[in-house]
Amino acid sequence: MGAEEPGPEPSPTLVETAPDRWRLRWADGWVASLAAALTSIVDHVRDQPELHLTDASGTTFRHDELVAVVSQSTDSVMSAVRSDELTTEVLVELGASAANLAIVANAAVAGGEGAGPDPLLPEGDQRRQGGLMAARDLFHRMAERIWTALDPGVRTLDDGRYELAWRAADRSMVRVLATELDRLLDSDDPSIVRLFPPAYGTDAERSAGFDALARYELIDRRRESLDVLRTAMDSGPLDGEGLAAVMRSVNDLRLVLGTRLDVTEEREPRVRLGDPDAAAVAAYMRLSQLLGQIVGALEDAGDD
Amino acid sequence: MSELSPVEVRNPELDDVPDVDRPWLVLVWNDPINLMDYVAFVFQKLFGFSKAKAHQLMMDVHLKGKAVVASCARDEAERHVFRLHEHGLWATLQQDE
């Protein structure tokens, strides 16, 4: 199965109390961890004048620039902790600050990729490295939490219906793939093999008998779900049944892409520069994320 | 192989008579594409399992390669397999041994 790492307890929780109004709820002990994390980053950056950082785009930050980033991000985090409510704009800034702090902490850990501090270091340095790792993980989690809240994929409305909060790029990607799947459903293309497994396993004769009866109905159901998906992208909210149809179709698209990309238990797809499959891999990963958001919304409804 | 080796006698007509006493099992097999949360949710939705039971069955599929999700009459088992295929899961049915 495609594994999703079980994440640590996501804190803080974020609730949208009104349009453009967000409330952060801090778990017990979280503010103390936050203060400790900030202290370990600020102290480390201050004590290491040779520290610099090159980000993913290749831009290098000198020490004085890092000090400025850390100080600005610390202010933003501290003011969020003191606020009862945040606007979306402030929340976006908080997410960026948390991400910055996670990046600086990660650079300061200096090669400490493992789960804990390097046991070969002197005790004081081990403690410092452990503190920086905890800070990195804490701010990484916080940034992730904020981005997920701002981009939920599926929003549950007060009347219990659901709204797809998809990006324009999602819509065009899904539209292209849905049109293609619609066309492939009647074919014997190898990429749709996962949509019609042999019902009797190795018993080919009985499997063929089942297929003769079931395939056209399965194709019809898949087309109906694809229609719901395509309509949903241009129109208003969906009820639970509609969202379940969207869920099945999004999974069908993943199954076709995953088959084509030859996804295996050992080989999770990763986007690599220059890879001719890069676009398909990116679509597969995004569809996986959207599917997770849909399942989350439907599960939350079931919990009530 | 010598002429004296035992031979299994197969009577196709008799073998086709269904053994009504043995139930049919619905199996779901591990696959590398379906997401764990999705599989557990489909189990809850189609079979009315609790969250805990659905999660346990999903983990059986993931770790042991397969799990039995239903044991019933053949026509009912076929309907379950249909619904599981509709949801993109790799499901099969076979008679209990």
Side-chain angles (χ1 to χ4, degrees), chain B residues 2-76:
Chain B
S2 83
E3 289 168 39
L4 294 173
S5 59
V7 176
E8 193 190 341
V9 180
R10 257 195 116 239
N11 183 331
E13 275 173 44
L14 276 182
D15 282 355
D16 276 351
V17 174
D19 184 343
V20 287
D21 292 337
R22 287 183 292 137
W24 285 77
L25 306 179
V26 176
L27 288 100
V28 173
W29 300 78
N30 192 31
D31 76 85
I33 300 180
N34 277 305
L35 295 173
M36 296 166 81
D37 285 352
Y38 175 72
V39 172
F41 179 69
V42 170
F43 287 171
Q44 270 180 275
K45 180 169 176 267
L46 295 189
F47 299 99
F49 295 146
S50 68
K51 209 167 189 168
K53 167 121 197 233
H55 183 81
Q56 185 52 53
L57 283 170
M58 177 278 289
M59 287 309 289
D60 284 351
V61 173
H62 184 53
L63 298 173
K64 298 176 189 166
K66 65 180 178 203
V68 174
V69 295
S71 168
C72 49
R74 184 175 171 182
D75 57 343
E76 198 185 341

Side-chain angles (χ1 to χ4, degrees), chain A residues 6 9 17 25-26 37 41 60 84 100 115 129-130 133 135 146 179 188 208 221 232 237 268 271 294:
Chain A
E9 194 58 34
T17 52
R25 289 210 195 103
W26 309 92
I41 295 174
T60 297
D84 286 338
N100 281 336
Q129 202 180 42
M133 283 175 167
I146 291 169
T179 304
D188 53 4
R221 299 264 185 113
E268 283 280 305
V271 179
I294 294 170

Side-chain angles (χ1 to χ4, degrees), chain A residues 212-232:
Chain A
L213 291 170
R215 179 169 291 238
Y216 290 104
E217 205 178 332
L218 278 174
I219 291 175
D220 282 351
R221 299 264 185 113
R222 293 205 138 92
R223 286 229 162 88
E224 284 165 22
S225 297
L226 278 174
D227 284 344
V228 175
L229 171 67
R230 283 186 282 201
T231 310

Side-chain angles (χ1 to χ4, degrees), chain A residues 156-177:
Chain A
T156 306
L157 306 175
D158 288 340
D159 63 4
R161 290 187 299 165
Y162 305 92
E163 195 172 57
L164 301 181
W166 292 4
R167 304 171 192 155
D170 298 332
R171 291 167 209 266
S172 57
M173 178 260 289
V174 165
R175 225 172 250 125
V176 169
L177 293 174

Side-chain angles (χ1 to χ4, degrees), chain A residues 258-275:
Chain A
T259 305
R260 217 174 272 162
L261 292 167
D262 198 21
V263 172
T264 63
E265 208 77 50
E266 291 74 32
R267 211 172 62 84
E268 283 280 305
R270 292 274 178 271
V271 179
R272 289 187 186 78
L273 280 179
D275 183 346

Side-chain angles (χ1 to χ4, degrees), chain A residues 225-247:
Chain A
S225 297
L226 278 174
D227 284 344
V228 175
L229 171 67
R230 283 186 282 201
T231 310
M233 288 190 297
D234 304 312
S235 60
L238 293 159
D239 59 11
E241 212 173 296
L243 188 61
V246 168
M247 173 185 79

